[in-house]
Amino acid sequence: MKNPSPKNGIMSISPYVAGKSEIAGNNGKIIKLSSNENSLGASPLAIKAVIEGAENIIRYPDSGSLELRNAIAKRYNIPAEQVVCGNGSDELIGLLVNGYAGEGDEVLFSEYGFLMYKIYTQAAGATPVMAKENNMCADIDALLAKVTERTKILFIANPNNPTGSYLTTEELNRLRAELPEHILLVIDAAYSEYVDLPDYSNGFNLVHTTENTVMLRTFSKIYGLAALRIGWAYCPKNIADVINRIRGPFNVSAIAQSAGIAAIQDQKFLDYVKTHNNSWLEWVSGALTEIGLQVYDSIANFVLVEFPKNNKNAKAANDFLLSKGIIVREVSGYGLNEHLRITIGTKEENEALVAALKEFMAS
Ligand SMILES: *Cc1c(COP(=O)(O)O)cnc(C)c1O
């Protein structure tokens, strides 16, 4: 018998490995710093909306996520018709690739760009093309040098996961200006709420001023709603139209829509999380540097840490942390074998992490 065979490209996909959440044999307390989730929880208003939403689960959700789009539009002073919601921003990455690239087309991103760009590109039968980074940061000239007449999309996560690095406003503007107009530039700003640097911009500007740029956002990171799967894209009208044609009609659940509406109005919660992250990001980075590890500058809620190549390597560090009930993220899927990505946690979690790594380095 001949088995059905999948489309070209599918079998070359290495499935995405999510951050671990359990440790075999450990039934005690676990510290999970592996998925860049919000260690401080979620807005109480969003949690209330989820509980109340349980009363209405017999109904289909609003297929256009209209109220949620209105809330987003109001918060950022943009037209709701240019916002499209997705089942996480992951889904929107996939929809954009499917809408704009197929067999014979190329999708471009940087060497350590977020892994889902590659996976969705392969799933669409298109060809992933990667440009070398410079000291763990996307390199605009290297990206531009990889552009061909077959390039359809360029994805940039700003800041990027897993490196935590970013392109400045000036660099992003130059990238857009030098990129041929027919190429869709997608700025994935999953962590932008954590950032307020004067030379950073999350992509709003370029969507306002060009016809070929999309910004992606998510409720999974600073809002602490990862389980609900809510992302959104701010795009030119014609691109919103393309995504709306191919997305599932009920792609965002009703409970997720209600929680998103509540969460986006709770600026107090966001400020609290941001203040916490600002100081602990600095503290964790400093403490790990002090014990001899290389910590890459990050502007998000995680750090990429490079370990020595001797017996204090990343694999040994990871095993040691697991033995202490601490889960961080291996990033070998990115080709980063000497590195671990560590999410900023609560005060207690950060202190436990640093204590454990101190013990590891000294042992
Ligand atoms: C976490 C993350 C996403 C995915 O977020 P979801 O909305 O949960 O799908 C997208 N891009 C980057 C860079 C991320 O780190």
Side-chain angles (χ1 to χ4, degrees), residues 284-304:
V284 170
S285 302
L288 297 184
T289 306
E290 225 166 82
I291 58 174
L293 297 169
Q294 179 169 4
V295 181
Y296 288 90
D297 283 341
S298 169
I299 59 166
N301 69 334
F302 58 86
V303 282
L304 184 70

Side-chain angles (χ1 to χ4, degrees), residues 166-240:
Y166 73 107
L167 294 180
T168 64
T169 305
E170 205 176 306
E171 288 173 309
L172 268 186
N173 289 346
R174 179 162 83 84
L175 181 62
R176 179 66 274 179
E178 295 188 18
L179 204 58
E181 282 183 344
H182 72 275
I183 297 176
L184 174 62
L185 174 64
V186 180
I187 300 169
D188 178 353
Y191 301 91
S192 70
E193 296 87 353
Y194 280 110
V195 189
D196 43 15
L197 292 173
D199 66 347
Y200 170 82
S201 53
N202 48 24
F204 270 117
N205 280 358
L206 283 171
V207 184
H208 287 326
T209 55
T210 70
E211 289 297 316
N212 44 19
T213 308
V214 169
M215 173 185 69
L216 295 181
R217 301 286 288 268
T218 180
F219 282 88
S220 301
K221 303 289 158 57
I222 201 168
Y223 289 98
L225 300 179
L228 295 179
R229 316 302 307 127
I230 324 165
W232 55 280
Y234 173 42
C235 16
K237 265 191 228 162
N238 61 318
I239 296 176

Side-chain angles (χ1 to χ4, degrees), residues 344-357:
I344 302 303
T346 60
K347 171 180 190 286
E348 293 72 27
E349 290 171 337
N350 299 330
E351 286 170 353
L353 170 92
V354 166
L357 282 177

Side-chain angles (χ1 to χ4, degrees), residues 23 33 63 67 123 146 149 162 170 179 181 200 210-211 213 265 273 300 302 306 326 328 332 343 359 362:
I23 302 173
L33 302 174
S63 71
E67 267 192 72
K146 291 281 186 183
E149 69 278 10
E170 205 176 306
L179 204 58
E181 282 183 344
Y200 170 82
T210 70
E211 289 297 316
T213 308
Q265 294 171 27
V273 177
F302 58 86
E306 185 169 334
I326 302 174
V328 299
S332 46
T343 305
E359 188 185 334

